Amino acid sequence: MQVSMTINGEQVSREIEARLLLVHFIRETAGLTGTHWGCDTSNCGTCVVLMDGVPVKSCTVLAAMANGRNITTVEGLETNGELDSVQRGFIEMHGLQCGFCTPGMMLTARWLLDNNPHPTDAEIREAISGQICRCTGYENIVRAIRWAAEHESGTGHNITEGIGA
Amino acid sequence: MQVPAPIAYERATSLSNAIELLSRHGPESRIIAGGHSLLPMMKLRLARPEVVIDINDLAELDYIRANSDHLQIGAMVRHASLMNSDIANRYFPIFREAETVIADPIVRNRGTVGGSLCQADPAEDLAAVFAALKASVVITGNNGSRTVPISSFHIGPYMTVVEPDELLTEVIVPLRTHVGSAYEKVERRAGDWGIASVGAMIVLNSGQISEAGIGLAAVRADHFRAVEAESFLLGKQPTADVIAQAALIASENCQPVADQRGPEDYKRHLVKELTTRALNRAIDKAREEGT
Ligand SMILES: Cc1cc2nc3c(=O)[nH]c(=O)nc-3n(C[C@H](O)[C@H](O)[C@H](O)COP(=O)(O)OP(=O)(O)OC[C@H]3O[C@@H](n4cnc5c(N)ncnc54)[C@H](O)[C@@H]3O)c2cc1C
Ligand code: FES
Ligand code: FES
């Protein structure tokens, strides 16, 4: 069947098997390997992407169900070469070690801050409670998201002092 | 790598279109709502539909509203919406209490009320919630709609009275005054299915219990309900002793099975303890409403 969706602002149309999962469509069909894929059982959350602005576990969505929808992956977080404040927070606060859980964590963090710009630590922990990090002990991830909240410049995509690249 | 077997995919454009697609494709077709129970089962070949019919575009089934007698919840309401619904939680705080311990926030963005009830997993928390609230379920097919009480909706593990060419479209909860409700669950870790869960609803009339609802999940109670304990409470003053006896009756009238989540006697112990807590909190809330 033919599917067509917007991924990070670009239209992606492909002929696929109806059983294809969204995570594999993003990684293999669209070639965006920033989205990771781990447990396959909707437990680990590394496959989280935003679908119409809401985080979903893309291993548990058919690509066909995303037909016509708007997808944001970790590649879509930066704007014009400038990292999102969430990405900068993960750098500043050492929010990752191996980086396997990081794409899902960052997208959930983006969604949290878009809806709750000043979350408490408890709210941050609750937001990421469906995602597993086997490295950091979560403490630095919470700090990274808190850092992002404190350094958000209004829209969250309007970062003035670029870091990296 | 877990992937579903080959399928055909249809996206329904309206309720009548969904019913037409179910009739056209026959018993090997299945509705997919949030997909968070069906897709895992398809990956494991525990479900092998030939056609999945996606109802995510059916905004007409995504509503929570109240009239003077009833709260009406559409089948496509996501867990996250029920959790955050002011109107639903103003009448029945049990919804938020249960939803905060159902899965995790990301799963709650997808899973639906209709999917939860139709999945009929013995540990499904919303089944216990709606059992406690003595809800009814509206089922719609080619011949129109029928309404069945939740106490006859589930006919066994993973089985409901919904026919292959029908959809669950709405859950109806009667509104009460002087009512309190609460949910208690013990799980192994955040986001997991319950080892045991208990929902309670109490209506007080001049200090006496005039209606009681107790829903149980994960402990194989018939229709997710502790009927004997409910009957015991009727007409009584809610004293500590009465509550303790009701909790004991609830723990004796379910059939928990030993599994990786714990042995049978531990689950019965949890039912007794959680029933006590849920009843106490439901009674406190009913008192706050004044009698
Ligand atoms: C990691 C994880 C943890 C979870 N933890 C919990 C938990 O702690 N407690 C809990 O209660 N649940 C838990 N769940 C299950 C979840 O809450 C929902 O039960 C599940 O998402 C089902 O809803 P759905 O909309 O995704 O249904 P789907 O997967 O789309 O459908 C489930 C079944 O219902 C049928 N169906 C769906 N909608 C309709 C309809 N309107 N009419 C007729 N048939 C229909 C489908 O054909 C299918 O057979 C968990 C799920 C996951 C993935
Ligand atoms: S791969 Fe999707 S939740 Fe783990
Ligand atoms: S950084 Fe390694 S899993 Fe989180």
Side-chain angles (χ1 to χ4, degrees), chain B residues 69-253:
Chain B
D69 310 317
H70 295 102
L71 183 69
Q72 296 166 298
I73 304 171
M76 280 308 291
V77 169
R78 312 271 175 195
H79 288 300
S81 308
L82 186 55
M83 176 167 144
N84 295 319
S85 163
D86 289 337
I87 184 154
N89 286 288
R90 175 157 18 103
Y91 292 111
F92 300 108
I94 189 174
F95 287 124
R96 183 166 295 135
E97 292 187 8
E99 285 293 358
T100 47
V101 290
I102 292 177
D104 60 63
I106 315 293
V107 170
R108 291 198 294 263
N109 283 337
R110 287 300 284 172
T112 64
V113 168
S116 292
L117 288 180
C118 291
Q119 180 64 20
D121 188 299
E124 209 82 52
D125 287 293
L126 284 185
V129 169
F130 287 119
L133 298 177
K134 299 181 185 166
S136 301
V137 173
V138 181
I139 301 168
T140 308
N142 272 315
N143 302 322
S145 290
R146 58 194 176 109
T147 304
V148 298
I150 191 80
S151 56
S152 49
F153 178 75
H154 295 103
I155 49 179
Y158 308 100
M159 284 189 293
T160 73
V161 297
V162 179
E163 296 291 338
D165 59 352
E166 291 181 317
L167 279 91
L168 186 164
T169 44
E170 185 179 274
V171 187
I172 302 174
V173 184
L175 298 180
R176 288 95 165 170
T177 45
H178 313 314
V179 62
S181 60
Y183 202 71
E184 293 282 344
K185 171 175 171 176
V186 170
E187 70 259 61
R188 293 178 301 179
R189 56 179 164 78
D192 197 12
W193 296 85
I195 303 169
S197 312
V198 179
M201 178 202 63
I202 291 290
V203 179
L204 290 179
N205 206 323
S206 313
Q208 287 190 343
I209 298 172
S210 60
E211 193 183 355
I214 302 176
L216 307 179
V219 290
R220 304 274 167 140
D222 283 347
H223 304 291
F224 296 91
R225 200 174 159 197
V227 187
E228 300 81 1
E230 289 173 0
S231 315
F232 171 81
L233 287 169
L234 279 188
K236 297 208 167 60
Q237 306 272 350
T239 62
D241 187 48
V242 162
I243 292 165
Q245 284 192 57
L248 182 66
I249 295 170
S251 72
E252 285 168 347
N253 286 279

Side-chain angles (χ1 to χ4, degrees), chain A residues 1 17-21 24 28 37 39-43 48 51 54-57 59-69 108 111 126-131, chain B residues 1-9 11 32-37 39-40 42-43 45 52 54 56-57 83 100 103-110 189-192:
Chain A
M1 65 176 292
E17 268 191 274
R19 62 168 164 166
L20 186 68
L21 297 167
H24 301 304
E28 281 119 54
W37 158 64
C39 67
D40 248 341
T41 58
S42 36
N43 280 292
V48 165
M51 182 154 88
V54 176
V56 298
K57 293 181 173 176
C59 69
T60 312
V61 176
L62 292 170
M65 296 169 87
N67 192 16
R69 316 251 186 247
T108 299
W111 171 70
E126 165 66 14
I128 60 167
S129 62
Q131 290 162 264
Chain B
M1 177 162 119
Q2 295 179 12
V3 288
I7 42 163
Y9 170 89
R11 190 180 289 187
I32 189 162
H36 273 52
S37 290
L39 284 172
M42 286 166 63
K43 291 178 183 182
R45 306 297 187 269
V52 297
D54 183 352
N56 280 279
D57 280 355
M83 176 167 144
T100 47
D104 60 63
I106 315 293
V107 170
R108 291 198 294 263
N109 283 337
R110 287 300 284 172
R189 56 179 164 78
D192 197 12

Side-chain angles (χ1 to χ4, degrees), chain A residues 46 95-102 105 132-138 141:
Chain A
T46 193
L96 63 144
Q97 289 180 30
C98 79
F100 191 72
C101 68
T102 314
M105 290 287 183
I132 293 171
C133 175
R134 57 194 171 169
C135 304
T136 64
Y138 303 98
I141 296 177

